Amino acid sequence: MTAWADHWPLPAVVGRAVEHEHVSGLLGSAPLVTLTGAAGVGKSVLARAVLEEHCARHDRTVIRVGCWDGLAGGGLTEALLRAAGLPDTARRDAAEALARRTAHPCVSRPARGRMDRADAPTTVPPTGGTALAALAAHCRQLRATVLLDDCDPLLDECVQLVRRLLRAEPALRVVVTARRALGLPEERVVEIAPLPVTLGEGIAGPAVELLAARTGPAAPELLVAVCQALEGSPLAIALAAQQLDRMSLPQLAAQVGADGPLLYSGPAATVRHTSLYAAHAAGYALCSPTDRRVWARLSVLPGDFDPWLAGCVCTSSDVPAAAVDGALERLRTASVVERVRDAGGAHQDSGAALPPRYRLPRAARDFGRTQLREAGEELAALRRFRQACAALAAEAQIAWQGPNQQVAVRLVEDELHNLDAALTRPPQDAEDALSALEIAVSLWFHWAACGFRREGRAHLDRLLLLSRDDTALRARALWLAGYLAAQEHALATAEALLDEAWSAAVMHADSDGLARIAHVHGVLALYREDTATAVVCLEEAARHRSRDPWYGPGPAHSWALLAIALSALDAERAKAAARRAWESRHSDGDFWLYSTTLYAQALIERAHGDPAAALRACRKALVAKKLIGDPLFIAGVRNMLAALRREVRGGAGASRPDEGGRWWQRGGPGPAARPFFSRLRARS
């Protein structure tokens, strides 16, 4: 038998077998089980499903009270007694007693009539022990399990009530659903996560199963696309499925996949479940003003983030920097923010302690963005976000020239979604456009050395159109755009950009910029197989003493390319240039320079009759380059390795000395017929 306070139908529970079994097991041993999770994740549905089965199996009943059903003050106690079926007189007396026992100590009792405070009686009212005993005895007689559903609006009162009920009847079983735990010592907390979209390669997950049950036969890729965009939220999936009455599944997939809020509406058992907006608005109303501001400002962050970035975006005159960490933790315990990585552990490259990382789910992010926009704070938060990303990119650039380039590579990989958003979101004004251009320029090594040339060119081409002022930053951006165009074999475009960069460098008396331009002209000459011009340009760049060692390839890389240019002409000069390259390094952790220098040594040994030594150097170059990426270089070295192996084996199948080409060539010697596009970015 089940004595529910309401009788709305129980929907099907999909994909919760593990959680169902876990909660069922806890009901046999724990007096208090709390199901926590984000809005719309299905806590109440799962709790009711578990209790239906549990009570049917053990011949028990359930007393449910919905705490978000317009209750306030002593209304929770009254509702519990009413749901338990106590007589009216007993219910009224018990409610008054329990209300006194469970009310928050800061809440004053109402005065009777016009009695003055001085005339108020000083005697303490009778305790609620009798009422508690009566309620506990009634629950024991009914073999009842108490379900306090959606406790968030009355959390403190629920804590007091549950504590006193369990003291009165330790054998009582209480199940709670809330966005945060009660914090009692007897409590066992079960966190309910969104439904998985996939279970592996080609295997649909419970989220897809839930959507398919509402759509009927449909293309699996469309179902997966919709569920991924909705991040596996059962409420979001159910509300989205209701839109199929007025649109097709492909249209729904396109709509949920586009940027913008997901504020679908539809019939539901409770008002707050009629839309995603209402679901989050209910939790938002329970937050403090500081937590609301932090929630809203975090909405400009596109993915996961650490406390430093959150502080940069959220800190202002009304939110002190010291308050952001506390707000983050409170929002996490309220199931608004997810913690995707705990604090602790060490960075695998640098050994530094890792901070925690958080994430605001899409529905909560959409709601927060609406609040931010309505408050008129969106543009200021976006500006702070872009400035913080500029600082991140500058930190990565400095780390690249430091003792371990993998630190810089990992930093960019961790923050790639944030950096990409800061680069692609339209700037608000000229100053904001310069901040975006500064990010693109600081990430020069990511574009030029780690294989993301095509992405870098796209960002620079767009941002240069938005930043027309003649600044030193624009001069660097023109050089970088020309460098990337040269690496992509867009030779005419590269020369035009370098000419413009040369004029800007002269205007700003930037000798470092002129040396970098000479370096790229040497690269262009190498690509054209104009060795004489390449040697002249690279010697000019290599002999320059850089004043800014933190930006660009620098003299060491010019020496390494000079060794490559000389490898087939003059072994001694080439070896001397390779030595100068390594002697000019910033640190032993410069894997980019190390791999290029080893490649030059392989070319020298191969051209002058020692293929075995060339093979050893080539293998080391490949290992070093894999640490930082760049598939163009890696593919070229592999081609050379294949040719060298044949040479070492000898015999009739031995390769010609020029077979294998250069790393910038595809399909053998000679210029590439089309650009080698940079690697596809891995998506999580």
Side-chain angles (χ1 to χ4, degrees):
M1 183 181 72
T2 302
W4 298 103
D6 58 10
H7 298 283
W8 48 274
L10 181 66
V13 179
V14 175
R16 297 298 190 193
V18 174
E19 295 91 337
H20 192 293
E21 183 177 357
H22 186 197
V23 176
S24 297
L26 289 176
L27 282 175
S29 58
L32 172 60
V33 179
T34 300
L35 278 63
T36 65
V41 81
K43 304 179 291 294
S44 298
V45 171
L46 177 61
R48 289 192 59 174
V50 171
L51 289 174
E52 287 275 15
E53 179 183 308
H54 180 79
C55 293
R57 183 187 304 161
H58 299 284
D59 191 24
R60 299 179 66 91
T61 188
V62 177
I63 301 174
R64 175 190 176 271
V65 176
C67 302
W68 221 310
D69 299 340
L71 305 178
L76 173 63
T77 305
E78 174 69 23
L80 177 60
L81 296 168
R82 187 185 307 113
L86 287 174
D88 291 344
T89 303
R91 186 172 70 238
R92 184 172 57 253
D93 295 342
E96 292 178 0
L98 280 175
R100 288 192 296 268
R101 294 290 303 272
T102 60
H104 194 278
C106 295
V107 178
S108 61
R109 295 183 177 86
R112 296 183 179 180
R114 298 185 179 181
M115 184 182 296
D116 188 80
R117 182 171 297 180
D119 298 328
T122 57
T123 58
V124 179
T127 68
T130 303
L132 281 168
L135 178 60
H138 190 71
C139 291
R140 185 168 55 249
Q141 181 181 1
L142 291 176
R143 294 173 55 82
T145 299
V146 175
L147 171 59
L148 299 179
D149 211 1
D150 294 321
C151 288
D152 302 282
L154 299 174
L155 195 67
D156 289 341
E157 187 174 352
C158 287
V159 170
Q160 297 295 328
L161 178 61
V162 170
R163 177 186 288 120
R164 298 183 190 282
L165 281 174
L166 293 179
R167 285 178 182 172
E169 179 53 54
L172 184 65
R173 293 292 179 264
V174 180
V175 176
V176 171
T177 68
R179 301 184 190 186
R180 68 181 75 204
L182 301 186
L184 294 174
E186 307 92 340
E187 186 177 32
R188 297 296 178 267
V189 179
V190 180
E191 295 185 8
I192 309 300
L195 294 172
V197 177
T198 59
L199 299 177
E201 189 66 30
I203 303 176
V208 177
E209 181 184 349
L210 179 63
L211 181 60
R214 289 162 168 77
T215 63
E221 61 273 12
L222 291 177
L223 297 175
V224 170
V226 170
C227 293
Q228 285 178 336
L230 300 177
E231 298 182 344
S233 167
L235 176 61
I237 292 171
L239 292 172
Q242 293 171 4
Q243 309 305 306
L244 294 174
D245 294 338
R246 59 184 183 86
M247 67 176 67
S248 65
L249 184 59
Q251 289 174 326
L252 177 63
Q255 186 176 94
V256 300
D259 290 336
L262 301 172
L263 305 178
Y264 296 128
S265 298
T270 62
V271 172
R272 67 186 178 282
H273 288 160
T274 56
S275 71
L276 295 174
Y277 184 93
H280 285 287
Y284 186 78
L286 301 176
C287 294
S288 68
T290 296
D291 293 355
R292 294 179 188 179
R293 295 187 186 102
V294 170
W295 180 349
R297 293 169 189 176
L298 289 176
S299 67
V300 302
L301 301 176
D304 60 278
F305 53 87
D306 61 13
W308 177 85
L309 185 56
C312 291
V313 170
C314 298
T315 300
S316 65
S317 59
D318 53 359
V319 178
V324 175
D325 285 354
L328 271 176
E329 192 58 25
R330 288 190 296 273
L331 290 172
R332 186 195 66 81
T333 58
S335 301
V336 175
V337 170
E338 298 175 356
R339 187 160 62 195
V340 298
R341 185 182 74 194
D342 292 331
H347 195 286
Q348 66 182 35
D349 300 319
S350 66
L354 290 170
R357 289 191 76 86
Y358 301 90
R359 176 181 173 273
L360 195 62
R362 180 177 177 180
R365 188 165 65 244
D366 290 341
F367 177 85
R369 194 66 171 270
T370 302
Q371 304 306 309
L372 190 67
R373 191 173 294 121
E374 290 177 354
E377 297 182 1
E378 183 179 24
L379 296 181
L382 286 170
R383 190 182 297 275
R384 291 195 296 269
F385 168 66
R386 186 168 272 130
Q387 290 169 348
C389 288
L392 279 173
E395 179 184 350
Q397 176 187 225
I398 294 173
W400 175 262
Q401 304 287 18
N404 192 339
Q405 290 178 341
Q406 288 179 286
V407 173
V409 172
R410 186 60 57 87
L411 174 59
V412 174
E413 288 176 349
D414 288 347
E415 304 294 347
L416 192 57
H417 50 280
N418 292 314
L419 295 168
D420 188 63
L423 286 166
T424 54
R425 287 174 177 170
Q428 303 172 33
D429 48 35
E431 180 183 355
D432 208 29
L434 278 178
S435 293
L437 187 63
E438 183 180 359
I439 296 171
V441 170
S442 294
L443 294 177
W444 67 270
F445 67 91
H446 181 65
W447 319 127
C450 299
F452 292 95
R453 302 176 183 86
R454 192 179 186 186
E455 294 89 333
R457 282 190 66 190
H459 287 308
L460 287 164
D461 289 347
R462 175 172 42 81
L463 293 172
L464 281 168
L465 292 175
L466 300 174
S467 306
R468 294 287 190 177
D469 293 341
D470 186 11
T471 61
L473 178 63
R474 178 177 170 82
R476 286 189 172 190
L478 288 167
W479 166 81
L480 180 56
Y483 187 21
L484 297 178
Q487 291 183 321
E488 286 275 287
H489 288 266
L491 305 186
T493 301
E495 288 180 338
L497 288 166
L498 291 174
D499 288 344
E500 197 174 348
W502 184 88
S503 299
V506 170
M507 179 68 67
H508 291 280
D510 183 3
S511 59
D512 286 0
L514 294 174
R516 286 190 289 266
I517 292 169
H519 178 93
V520 181
H521 278 301
V523 171
L524 288 170
L526 278 177
Y527 288 2
R528 292 192 177 102
E529 297 189 348
D530 183 356
T531 305
T533 302
V535 169
V536 171
C537 293
L538 292 170
E539 282 182 335
E540 177 185 347
R543 291 193 176 103
H544 172 73
R545 188 174 295 276
S546 179
R547 293 182 298 175
D548 181 7
W550 303 110
Y551 184 75
H557 284 274
S558 298
W559 283 115
L561 288 185
L562 180 60
I564 290 173
L566 293 169
S567 60
L569 302 177
D570 189 330
E572 293 305 318
R573 287 180 64 192
K575 289 179 180 179
R579 282 196 302 272
R580 288 290 299 273
W582 190 238
E583 291 168 357
S584 304
R585 68 188 184 278
H586 289 299
S587 71
D588 292 341
D590 191 338
F591 299 111
W592 185 33
L593 175 63
Y594 183 50
S595 59
T596 308
T597 305
L598 286 169
Y599 182 79
Q601 292 176 355
L603 286 176
I604 295 168
E605 298 294 348
R606 185 185 186 197
H608 297 278
D610 193 347
L615 183 61
R616 289 193 297 271
C618 204
R619 284 171 175 162
K620 291 180 181 178
L622 183 60
V623 171
K625 195 62 174 182
K626 283 182 177 179
L627 294 174
I628 57 173
D630 191 354
L632 177 58
F633 184 98
I634 291 171
V637 173
R638 282 175 173 163
N639 289 338
M640 185 177 175
L641 274 172
L644 284 169
R645 290 191 184 103
R646 289 192 293 271
E647 290 182 35
V648 171
R649 286 195 300 266
S655 58
R656 302 186 309 274
D658 61 343
E659 186 180 347
R662 303 291 194 243
W663 86 71
W664 56 84
Q665 296 169 342
R666 300 181 67 196
R674 56 193 177 93
F676 180 93
F677 294 137
S678 55
R679 62 188 176 190
L680 294 175
R681 184 172 299 164
R683 300 289 185 184
S684 59

